[in-house]
Amino acid sequence: MTADTAVDTRPTKIMYVAEATAHGGRDGYVTSQDGQIELKVAMPPELGGDGNGTNPEQLFAAGYSSCFHNALILVGNREGYDLTGSTVAAKVGIGPNRQRGYGLAVALSVSLPVLDPNVAARLVDAAHDVCPYSNATRGNIDVTILLG
């Protein structure tokens, strides 16, 4: 996509601002300004840590899956579908990139057990256009969506 055809997904109005603070990086803890989050953070064993805490990839997976699921419910409701029983699971992978840093990859698994597969696929595509996480990551990381 060129700059001339890029879709601008920036918000036109900020409706809510979340605040969180990290203390100690991947071997510390994170807190939210409102006290709702107070979590120990630790490197997973696969990256050389003890795994005795959550990690940024788990937090990103939780945020993306809940945000995408809400977008899915929103577009489903707009079209008159009840998505009770639907779920979205996220897997977030981390690994080295070509710039000597690290990159992420996401796989979303969407379950819409009561819908026709064609309708489900259409709603998933629409949710991917609506979801703020999808808009933020589009073109920056690989996001695979599996419908099952």
Side-chain angles (χ1 to χ4, degrees):
M1 185 178 295
T2 66
D4 298 29
T5 62
V7 175
D8 186 356
T9 60
R10 294 175 293 180
T12 57
K13 175 183 172 184
I14 301 297
M15 298 169 55
Y16 168 74
V17 175
E19 294 181 49
T21 303
H23 310 264
R26 286 182 170 267
D27 284 313
Y29 63 99
V30 292
T31 59
S32 63
Q33 164 273 334
D34 63 2
Q36 293 295 314
I37 297 175
E38 291 185 24
L39 297 170
K40 181 175 176 18
V41 180
M43 292 279 278
E46 297 83 353
L47 298 179
D50 64 13
N52 193 18
T54 191
N55 59 65
E57 293 73 37
Q58 288 176 331
L59 296 170
F60 191 81
Y64 201 160
S65 63
S66 63
C67 190
F68 193 90
H69 196 209
N70 196 71
L72 186 61
I73 291 167
L74 175 74
V75 298
N77 287 341
R78 284 180 181 168
E79 294 195 27
Y81 295 103
D82 179 4
L83 300 186
T84 300
S86 64
T87 61
V88 175
K91 292 182 181 180
V92 175
I94 184 172
N97 64 23
R98 289 182 179 89
Q99 283 73 43
R100 298 181 62 193
Y102 291 86
L104 300 175
V106 173
L108 298 175
S109 296
V110 179
S111 174
L112 293 164
V114 298
L115 291 182
D116 172 83
N118 292 326
V119 171
R122 187 170 47 77
L123 293 179
V124 166
D125 288 344
H128 195 43
D129 288 338
V130 169
C131 176
Y133 275 67
S134 292
N135 286 327
T137 60
R138 187 171 289 112
N140 298 310
I141 66 174
D142 290 336
V143 176
T144 304
I145 303 175
L146 308 167
L147 182 57

